[in-house]
């Protein structure tokens, strides 16, 4: 493709590269550069891509897209923001595939994954859509599963994935849109038909620093969508709507909203409520336990309505929907009279939500196993300690991806938030912590393994080691029989 076509719509400060130059591919990692590549030098938080321009040139880069023209002998294009330019150039390079499909973006601290999976199911059941999904657990093209490393891939990989989805016949794309992706322009140039906001609670302050900055990053989505579906019970919604340019619909249980959940009842195996919208009322039953499930269902119903699906059809589809791996997931414990749940709760609000919900239907004791990730927001550690100790009858504090931090220092920070540690036990080794919980459990107790969810690994130092909590539970059951 000619360079001029790749640069279409990008504001250029200076350029020495010939517009009719042929570009074979776009690279932002100098290790992947091949002859004919356009190398994009991204200024990152830890590494400055401009340092790798000489390596890219040595490997045959045809031109350099940069913010600082440091290699004047090499054909270059200078722009203000190379992250933004990479997103727009990637869309051009792959033929703007996003314009061929209907896009839904879901942002918020909690509930993104469940919302995207449930909405995918509803659209497939109601309008026979072929749906591409991008999210925390995995990416999907229809029923095909594509493993993923982060919630929202870098813009080049995103656009490449969009092309694969379009060529596979996808009519809709539903994606989790992280605050990082919005702040770092990974989704720049994509117009969303519908944007969904689930909630905002403390997380990612290692990156955003303040809650206001975190909220403002989420708010970007609602300047790039046609219709917005927002949680009216969340305090952040009012601020987000101040800058929103979309047509907005709110949902909730308590504040007056466009879409309301009335008479909600929580069961050990799911939730049910009346969905009220525009004079209509429909009974909704969703077989996923937890009070937060009501909000996830409302977000899905709102997005479906925004896409033209009727309330009765969407509500009927939810009745046969299933949960998501690692989200209040029941782990088989044959022969035992206690229950084990796995949940991805790794932030204060998520931990509080899942433990509060479990307390609502637990007939015995709640045993919580949780920790906090290393090299991430450390201000939430004492907050999570207080929540876990307060809401669980027994809190087993352990490791959760300590990464390069000392796991015992992380645990000490968690313990610092707990005034009364009488119901707390420390077991740094997560495998042993799971076994400890199972050994403690009595009839009708519920063990909640928090933090890992769908993940099947533990990050120790810089190395991923295999750790699937389902396997650990099964292994301990076998050990008990031996």
């Amino acid at each position: 493709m000619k360079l001029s076509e790749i640069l279409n719509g990008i504001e250029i400060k200076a350029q020495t590269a010939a517009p009719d130059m042929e570009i074979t591919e776009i690279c932002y990692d100098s290790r992947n550069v091949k002859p004919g590549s356009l190398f994009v030098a991204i200024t990152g938080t830890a590494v400055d891509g401009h340092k790798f321009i000489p390596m890219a040139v040595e490997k045959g880069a045809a031109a350099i897209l940069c913010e600082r023209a440091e290699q004047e002998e090499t054909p270059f294009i200078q722009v203000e923001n190379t992250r933004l330019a990479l997103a727009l150039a990637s869309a051009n390079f792959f033929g703007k595939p996003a314009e061929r499909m209907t896009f839904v973006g879901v942002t918020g601290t909690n509930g993104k994954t469940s919302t995207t999976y449930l909405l995918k199911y509803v659209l497939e059941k109601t309008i026979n859509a072929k749906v591409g999904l991008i999210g925390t657990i995995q990416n999907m093209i229809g029923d095909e599963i594509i493993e993923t490393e982060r919630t929202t891939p870098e813009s080049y990989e995103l656009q490449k994935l969009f092309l694969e989805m379009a060529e596979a016949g996808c009519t809709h794309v539903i994606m989790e849109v992280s605050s990082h992706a919005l702040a770092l322009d990974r989704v720049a140039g994509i117009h969303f038909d519908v944007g969904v906001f689930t909630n905002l609670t403390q997380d990612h302050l290692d990156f955003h620093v303040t809650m206001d900055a975190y909220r403002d990053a989420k708010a970007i989505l609602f300047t790039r969508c046609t219709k917005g579906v927002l949680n009216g019970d969340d305090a952040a919604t009012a601020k987000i709507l101040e800058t929103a340019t979309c047509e907005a619909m709110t949902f909730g249980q308590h504040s007056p909203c466009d879409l309301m959940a009335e008479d909600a009842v929580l069961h050990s195996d799911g939730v049910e409520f009346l969905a009220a919208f525009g004079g209509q009322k429909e009974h909704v039953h969703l077989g996923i336990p937890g009070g937060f499930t009501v909000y996830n269902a409302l977000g899905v119903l709102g997005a479906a309505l925004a896409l033209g699906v009727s309330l009765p059809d969407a509500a009927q589809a939810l009745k046969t929907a299933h949960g998501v791996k690692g989200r209040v997931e029941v782990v088989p414990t044959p022969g035992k009279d206690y229950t084990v749940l796995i949940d991805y709760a790794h932030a204060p609000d998520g931990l509080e939500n899942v433990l509060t919900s479990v307390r609502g239907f637990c007939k015995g004791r709640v045993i919580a196993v949780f920790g906090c990730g290393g090299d991430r927001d450390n201000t939430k550690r004492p907050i999570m300690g207080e929540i876990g100790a307060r809401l669980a009858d027994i809190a087993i504090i352990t490791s959760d991806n300590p990464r390069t931090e000392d796991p015992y220092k992380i645990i000490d920070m968690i313990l610092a938030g707990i005034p009364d540690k009488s119901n707390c036990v420390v077991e740094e080794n997560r495998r042993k912590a799971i076994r400890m919980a199972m050994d403690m459990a009595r009839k009708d107790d519920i063990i909640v393994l928090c933090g890992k969810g769908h993940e099947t690994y533990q990050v120790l130092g810089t190395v991923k080691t295999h750790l699937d909590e389902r396997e650990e539970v099964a292994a301990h059951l076998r050990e008990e029989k031996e």
Side-chain angles (χ1 to χ4, degrees):
M1 179 178 282
K2 291 190 183 301
L3 179 63
S4 58
E5 295 176 288
I6 292 173
L7 298 179
N8 183 40
I10 298 173
E11 193 172 330
I12 296 168
K13 294 172 69 175
Q15 179 174 344
T16 61
D20 61 352
M21 175 187 293
E22 284 291 332
I23 298 295
T24 56
E25 62 181 316
I26 299 172
C27 293
Y28 59 89
D29 185 334
S30 58
R31 294 168 295 185
N32 297 331
V33 170
K34 296 175 183 175
S37 298
L38 171 65
F39 176 66
V40 184
I42 294 176
T43 304
T45 53
V47 180
D48 186 350
H50 290 76
K51 294 180 180 179
F52 300 97
I53 290 176
M55 181 188 294
V57 172
E58 186 179 324
K59 296 187 76 171
I64 307 297
L65 184 60
C66 56
E67 293 175 7
R68 305 187 302 275
E70 299 171 341
Q71 303 284 327
E72 294 185 7
E73 68 276 9
T74 304
F76 70 86
I77 309 97
Q78 185 182 5
V79 296
E80 185 69 32
N81 180 342
T82 47
R83 280 193 178 278
L84 174 60
L86 173 63
L88 301 178
S90 298
N92 290 335
F93 185 72
F94 290 109
K96 296 186 176 180
E99 294 181 356
R100 293 153 59 181
M101 297 171 287
T102 297
F103 266 70
V104 180
V106 181
T107 196
T109 307
N110 299 304
K112 295 188 297 295
T113 300
S114 295
T115 300
T116 55
Y117 273 76
L118 289 170
L119 182 58
K120 179 178 186 290
Y121 182 81
V122 167
L123 294 182
E124 289 168 343
K125 294 292 274 186
T126 57
I127 60 173
N128 198 31
K130 182 168 184 178
V131 181
L133 183 140
I134 298 172
T136 306
I137 297 178
Q138 61 196 14
N139 298 328
M140 299 181 73
I141 298 178
D143 295 326
E144 180 189 353
I145 295 172
I146 304 167
E147 297 302 324
T148 183
E149 282 293 316
R150 54 188 174 193
T151 303
T152 314
E154 190 53 80
S155 56
Y156 179 82
E157 283 76 24
L158 261 184
Q159 294 293 338
K160 183 179 181 182
L161 186 56
F162 293 158
L163 179 60
E164 292 174 17
M165 290 176 171
E167 290 182 341
C170 287
T171 56
H172 293 70
V173 174
I174 304 171
M175 62 184 296
E176 295 182 44
V177 184
S178 68
S179 55
H180 289 71
L182 289 159
L184 297 175
D185 289 315
R186 289 183 198 147
V187 291
I190 302 170
H191 183 79
F192 294 87
D193 296 273
V194 178
V196 180
F197 170 65
T198 60
N199 50 55
L200 188 81
T201 57
Q202 182 173 331
D203 203 7
H204 303 306
L205 295 191
D206 53 315
F207 178 79
H208 295 289
V209 183
T210 69
M211 286 297 292
D212 284 351
Y214 182 34
R215 179 200 63 225
D216 291 346
K218 300 284 190 191
I220 294 170
L221 178 62
F222 300 93
T223 65
R224 299 180 183 171
C225 64
T226 302
K227 296 180 179 180
V229 178
L230 303 94
N231 182 350
D233 286 344
D234 193 286
T237 289
K239 275 289 187 182
I240 291 173
L241 289 175
E242 286 180 7
T243 56
T245 57
C246 60
E247 176 188 333
M249 174 200 302
T250 57
F251 62 84
Q253 293 188 75
H254 308 298
S255 307
C257 296
D258 301 304
L259 172 63
M260 296 289 295
E262 298 178 354
D263 304 325
V265 180
L266 308 184
H267 303 288
S268 60
D269 61 348
V271 301
E272 60 179 316
F273 60 91
L274 280 178
F277 177 77
Q280 283 183 295
K281 289 191 178 183
E282 287 293 328
H283 178 261
V284 176
H285 178 270
L286 181 55
I288 305 170
F292 45 83
T293 297
V294 176
Y295 283 97
N296 292 341
L298 286 171
V300 170
L301 292 172
L305 286 165
L307 291 170
V309 178
S310 72
L311 184 61
D313 286 350
Q316 182 62 35
L318 281 180
K319 289 180 181 178
T320 55
H322 300 289
V324 180
K325 183 180 180 180
R327 270 60 176 179
V328 203
E329 176 188 349
V330 179
V331 182
T333 51
K336 296 296 182 181
D337 52 10
Y338 59 78
T339 301
V340 178
L341 300 176
I342 291 178
D343 194 79
Y344 190 49
H346 62 285
D349 186 62
L351 185 63
E352 183 154 19
N353 276 340
V354 71
L355 294 182
T356 299
S357 293
V358 170
R359 288 215 73 89
F361 55 77
C362 181
K363 296 177 181 178
R365 301 173 302 170
V366 176
I367 303 173
V369 180
F370 69 96
C372 289
D375 302 333
R376 298 292 186 270
D377 178 11
N378 60 24
T379 64
K380 70 183 182 182
R381 294 170 186 172
I383 300 171
M384 289 182 67
E386 188 279 328
I387 291 168
R390 170 168 48 87
L391 293 176
D393 295 288
I394 301 173
I396 301 176
I397 300 164
T398 187
S399 284
D400 180 355
N401 295 336
R403 300 184 177 89
T404 63
E405 284 194 67
D406 179 344
Y408 289 100
K409 288 185 177 178
I410 297 173
I411 290 171
D412 285 343
M413 293 182 75
I414 296 171
L415 290 169
I418 305 173
D420 178 6
K421 301 177 180 63
S422 60
N423 66 330
C424 298
V425 183
V426 171
E427 174 47 72
E428 185 277 327
N429 185 297
R430 196 169 181 102
R431 285 186 169 87
K432 291 181 180 179
I434 293 169
R435 285 160 171 76
M436 178 184 289
M438 294 172 70
D439 290 342
M440 288 180 176
R442 303 194 298 244
K443 185 178 184 295
D444 294 330
D445 286 354
I446 298 180
I447 299 168
V448 190
L449 306 179
C450 304
K452 301 301 294 175
H454 60 281
E455 293 177 353
T456 55
Y457 58 84
Q458 179 88 305
V459 185
L460 306 174
T462 57
V463 179
K464 274 187 180 180
T465 60
H466 182 75
L467 176 63
D468 187 327
E469 295 188 325
R470 299 151 198 82
E471 293 175 4
E472 295 303 318
V473 171
H476 192 47
L477 291 175
R478 288 195 302 272
E479 291 160 4
E480 289 180 329
K481 292 179 180 179
E482 293 173 356

